[in-house]
Amino acid sequence: MTVAVDRRPRRVVLVGFGNVGRELAAILVDPSPYPGLHGLNVQVVAVTTASRGTIAMPEGVDLLAALRDIRTTGAFAAAHRVPSSTLDILASLDYDVMVELSPLSVPNRGEPAISHVRSALERGKHVVTANKGPLAWAYRPLRDLARQRGCAFLHEATVMDGAPVFSLARHCLRGTSILRLEGILNSTTNFVLDSLEKGGTVEDAVRRAQQAGFAEADPSLDLDGWDAAVKVTALANVLMDADLRPETVPRERMTHVDPARVREAPRHGRRVKIVAEAVRDGEQARARVESRELALDHPFAIARGTTSVLRITTDLLGTISLTEESPDLRTTAYGVLADLLALPA
Amino acid sequence: MTVAVDRRPRRVVLVGFGNVGRELAAILVDPSPYPGLHGLNVQVVAVTTASRGTIAMPEGVDLLAALRDIRTTGAFAAAHRVPSSTLDILASLDYDVMVELSPLSVPNRGEPAISHVRSALERGKHVVTANKGPLAWAYRPLRDLARQRGCAFLHEATVMDGAPVFSLARHCLRGTSILRLEGILNSTTNFVLDSLEKGGTVEDAVRRAQQAGFAEADPSLDLDGWDAAVKVTALANVLMDADLRPETVPRERMTHVDPARVREAPRHGRRVKIVAEAVRDGEQARARVESRELALDHPFAIARGTTSVLRITTDLLGTISLTEESPDLRTTAYGVLADLLALPA
């Protein structure tokens, strides 16, 4: 099956230029290894960051130079920088799509990403976000604003990296109602549990997860269950029409899970996993993040390391699961790219 | 997320009225348990069968009466029957969609289903098929004919029942190239392997599979690997643009798998599984059906009984898997319904 790639030119503002943004830029600089991207016509007209400066160029920024500057000096070259804020850029520049890649802030309840998304949608620009904040704290008003302005508001890279969680629900489950969502959604805690089972410590596992690049610099976002709570909130709000907030999702913290229990569970044919779950409850949904002891042949028990899995129970189709094996940065960058390729005319 | 259900009236011809057709009819008679089907507007104007008679009614056949007649007498009531052949009906009746549910024939290389599909497409009618034959023996010409006539040619229920294998690839993997497809695709052999592992016999397991309704009356279609070969051919032809035929796919027959090997594998931490695989090879693909000894925590090893799983390796998204847990007839009927809901205007 050949799905034709969208060849319309898309002028894109990247908000944020961390690991995912740089991986996306590298693919855009040279998409030639990927035959499916033939004809891709994405032009990045601005990249805004909080600490590395902001660059903007109506005829397209030089991504190769930008990547090199970040790699060698940690910031964009002074000669190319503009003094504008992200909101200035979003309000004044000529662009088609805002790609929100800034880091999630739980204390700020998804800001400033929510304001970025609102600003772009209010101007009638499409939005692609890898930042979960807008889904967890402001999904309904942003979704309604997008509809009102006739814009796309896509977010595939927010949960399970590039795995097509949201597009699966949108395109592949027509006519069904989703009754339950359960998954292994946080890589760091899943990696830590693996390590504890082998007799390691939380601290050592977190250090290795940070070295491998998938744990946050501040690991409490993962270990305190916030990342999973924000993800399951996003899933429930989008896929179950719920109106949850991460603060109200009960979270069992990794630090409260007894390492001895994790080590000993396999002797009884069980494995301890941290599972995020949302269950439909009338017009609303209930969600939680908790440790569970699962049989060793449970679909979640075999998800080791950074592998993630989402199990979806529906009325008409029964239960299906989507597993993403050992994703890397390219996988997440693909999630953003998939949304860019799915934009309407 | 609410995906609005297509409310356009669709006049449908059902070709075949076996288990799946009757389950579909039961859902159409009373879709009220499924809120996502609200507004569904499907009218069955004819049902053709090889041995139970054919009924046709321009203003819509009475499906409830048809189901009752089949249940009580094994055939449609003589008073409602018409003498027309399926091809007559497809060539002369006023309808919008042909739904092909007749049984697969390997000896006839997918006929008469292929002729049914061609006849409908030539008249500019949409086609939904649960019969794999047209994909395995005539995919390219039928796909090209459908494009030429501006018709849909959908086939979600052909592989993994209702699980969204083809719609996932069509809508959720934009820009990627599929490099490898591997899966547990035949329920009967998977169920037989489970049984052998517990010390049972092939014969007894097949009998129980037949009683449960998922094995063919002639079990050789399953046991000789034909069902899996046809499915992997369909997958390769559609998803890899290959032009394979089931006859050229090497098949390891269930009857050639040593029961002692299946019983003893778990002692070495392994499980014997029959895996169907297609691998991209330049512009073509290679496919095979074979037994493999897999680690007990391999994603295929935990697929027991009728659970099926497809693992898709892509260039940009890495490896994802779609698992369907213990499907039933409703799941397959949903595959057909999902296609009906995905038809273009």
Side-chain angles (χ1 to χ4, degrees):
Chain A
M1 183 180 314
T2 314
V3 179
V5 156
D6 182 359
R7 290 160 189 264
R8 268 179 299 262
R10 305 284 191 181
R11 288 159 304 167
V12 169
V13 174
L14 296 185
V15 175
F17 205 58
N19 288 332
V20 175
R22 298 203 290 272
E23 184 70 21
L24 176 65
I27 295 173
L28 293 175
V29 164
D30 181 17
S32 66
Y34 309 109
L37 295 182
H38 183 72
L40 182 69
N41 195 349
V42 169
Q43 189 180 49
V44 174
V45 293
V47 184
T48 80
T49 75
S51 59
R52 300 163 191 279
T54 285
I55 51 178
M57 193 74 80
E59 61 272 31
V61 304
D62 181 345
L63 286 175
L64 196 59
L67 286 168
R68 191 190 51 227
D69 291 343
I70 294 285
R71 194 171 51 242
T72 53
T73 71
F76 296 128
H80 301 139
R81 287 163 77 159
V82 294
S84 320
S85 71
T86 296
L87 284 173
D88 286 344
I89 294 270
L90 293 177
S92 61
L93 205 73
D94 199 17
Y95 66 99
D96 305 306
V97 194
M98 189 274 280
V99 175
E100 167 55 61
L101 302 172
S102 72
L104 172 69
S105 169
V106 171
N108 295 327
R109 299 168 51 91
E111 288 289 5
I114 293 169
S115 295
H116 299 159
V117 172
R118 190 184 300 114
S119 166
L121 291 175
E122 276 175 351
R123 277 190 72 198
K125 310 301 187 187
H126 298 308
V127 166
V128 171
T129 180
N131 184 310
K132 299 173 274 291
L135 304 186
W137 279 283
Y139 180 63
R140 288 188 177 189
L142 295 175
R143 174 198 67 189
D144 293 346
L145 178 60
R147 279 183 192 160
Q148 189 192 320
R149 301 297 160 100
C151 298
F153 173 34
L154 301 176
H155 38 72
E156 195 59 272
T158 55
V159 179
M160 281 179 73
D161 313 290
V165 173
F166 294 106
S167 62
L168 179 85
R170 183 177 296 115
H171 297 291
C172 306
L173 300 178
R174 284 170 214 271
T176 70
S177 295
I178 295 178
L179 307 176
R180 181 185 294 264
L181 298 160
E182 294 173 281
I184 305 283
L185 299 179
N186 178 266
S187 293
T188 301
T189 50
N190 204 43
F191 183 83
V192 167
L193 287 170
D194 269 5
S195 180
L196 292 182
E197 194 179 300
K198 292 173 196 146
T201 65
V202 173
E203 295 68 27
D204 179 55
V206 167
R207 200 162 41 241
R208 285 187 293 129
Q210 286 170 331
Q211 281 161 3
F214 58 87
E216 301 290 329
D218 170 7
S220 65
L221 199 66
D222 296 318
L223 299 181
D224 287 351
W226 278 113
D227 178 75
V230 170
K231 283 172 173 162
V232 79
T233 299
L235 288 171
N237 288 351
V238 178
L239 301 181
M240 293 176 158
D241 282 326
D243 196 20
L244 300 185
R245 295 293 175 273
E247 304 89 302
T248 63
V249 173
R251 287 170 290 115
E252 184 174 344
R253 291 167 166 77
M254 185 70 236
T255 39
H256 292 186
V257 176
D258 178 8
R261 177 177 157 226
V262 178
R263 262 195 323 271
E264 283 156 28
R267 290 185 213 161
H268 321 294
R270 316 291 285 180
R271 176 163 289 138
V272 176
K273 286 288 180 183
I274 293 186
V275 176
E277 178 186 69
V279 184
R280 187 183 287 276
D281 183 10
E283 294 298 297
Q284 259 299 333
R286 282 173 291 112
R288 75 184 101 185
V289 177
E290 64 183 11
S291 70
R292 291 188 191 164
E293 292 188 25
L294 303 169
L296 291 173
D297 63 353
H298 187 283
F300 295 171
I302 67 162
R304 315 296 295 267
T306 59
T307 291
S308 56
V309 51
L310 180 67
R311 196 167 181 224
I312 304 173
T313 300
T314 71
D315 54 353
L316 270 165
L317 176 56
T319 299
I320 61 170
S321 300
L322 184 68
T323 303
E324 179 182 47
E325 289 180 30
S326 308
D328 56 20
L329 279 176
R330 189 176 59 185
T331 323
T332 310
Y334 170 72
V336 175
L337 205 49
D339 281 349
L340 287 172
L341 295 171
L343 290 174
Chain B
M1 185 180 311
T2 313
V3 179
V5 156
D6 183 0
R7 291 161 188 263
R8 268 178 300 261
R10 306 284 191 181
R11 287 159 306 169
V12 169
V13 174
L14 296 185
V15 175
F17 205 59
N19 288 333
V20 174
R22 297 203 291 274
E23 183 70 21
L24 176 65
I27 296 173
L28 293 175
V29 164
D30 181 17
S32 66
Y34 309 108
L37 296 182
H38 183 71
L40 182 69
N41 195 347
V42 169
Q43 190 179 51
V44 174
V45 294
V47 184
T48 81
T49 75
S51 60
R52 301 166 190 277
T54 285
I55 50 177
M57 194 73 80
E59 60 275 30
V61 305
D62 181 344
L63 288 175
L64 195 59
L67 286 168
R68 191 191 50 226
D69 291 344
I70 294 285
R71 194 171 52 241
T72 53
T73 72
F76 296 129
H80 301 138
R81 286 163 76 158
V82 295
S84 321
S85 72
T86 297
L87 284 173
D88 286 343
I89 295 271
L90 294 178
S92 61
L93 206 72
D94 198 17
Y95 66 99
D96 305 305
V97 194
M98 190 272 281
V99 175
E100 167 55 62
L101 302 172
S102 73
L104 172 69
S105 169
V106 171
N108 294 327
R109 300 167 52 89
E111 287 290 6
I114 293 169
S115 296
H116 299 159
V117 172
R118 190 184 301 113
S119 166
L121 291 175
E122 276 174 350
R123 278 190 73 197
K125 310 300 187 189
H126 298 307
V127 167
V128 171
T129 180
N131 185 310
K132 299 172 274 289
L135 306 186
W137 280 283
Y139 181 62
R140 286 188 180 190
L142 294 175
R143 175 198 65 189
D144 293 347
L145 178 59
R147 281 184 191 158
Q148 190 192 320
R149 300 298 160 101
C151 298
F153 173 34
L154 300 177
H155 37 71
E156 195 58 271
T158 56
V159 179
M160 280 178 72
D161 313 290
V165 172
F166 294 107
S167 62
L168 180 86
R170 182 178 295 116
H171 297 291
C172 306
L173 300 178
R174 285 169 213 269
T176 70
S177 294
I178 294 177
L179 308 175
R180 180 184 294 265
L181 298 160
E182 293 172 282
I184 305 284
L185 299 179
N186 179 266
S187 293
T188 301
T189 50
N190 204 44
F191 183 82
V192 167
L193 286 170
D194 269 6
S195 180
L196 291 182
E197 194 180 300
K198 293 174 195 144
T201 65
V202 173
E203 296 67 29
D204 179 55
V206 167
R207 200 163 41 243
R208 285 188 292 131
Q210 286 169 332
Q211 282 161 1
F214 58 87
E216 300 292 329
D218 171 8
S220 66
L221 199 66
D222 296 317
L223 298 180
D224 288 351
W226 278 114
D227 177 75
V230 171
K231 283 172 174 164
V232 77
T233 300
L235 288 172
N237 289 351
V238 178
L239 301 182
M240 293 175 157
D241 282 326
D243 196 20
L244 301 184
R245 294 292 174 275
E247 305 87 302
T248 63
V249 173
R251 286 172 291 115
E252 184 174 345
R253 289 168 169 78
M254 185 70 236
T255 39
H256 292 187
V257 175
D258 179 7
R261 176 176 157 228
V262 178
R263 262 195 324 271
E264 284 156 27
R267 289 184 214 160
H268 322 291
R270 316 292 283 179
R271 176 164 288 140
V272 177
K273 286 289 178 181
I274 293 188
V275 176
E277 177 187 69
V279 184
R280 187 183 287 277
D281 184 10
E283 294 297 297
Q284 259 300 333
R286 282 174 290 112
R288 75 183 100 184
V289 177
E290 64 183 11
S291 70
R292 292 188 189 163
E293 293 189 23
L294 302 170
L296 291 173
D297 62 353
H298 188 284
F300 295 171
I302 66 161
R304 314 298 292 270
T306 58
T307 291
S308 56
V309 51
L310 181 66
R311 196 167 180 224
I312 305 173
T313 300
T314 70
D315 54 352
L316 270 165
L317 177 56
T319 300
I320 60 170
S321 300
L322 184 68
T323 303
E324 180 182 47
E325 289 180 31
S326 308
D328 56 20
L329 279 176
R330 189 177 57 185
T331 323
T332 310
Y334 170 72
V336 175
L337 204 49
D339 282 349
L340 287 173
L341 294 173
L343 291 174

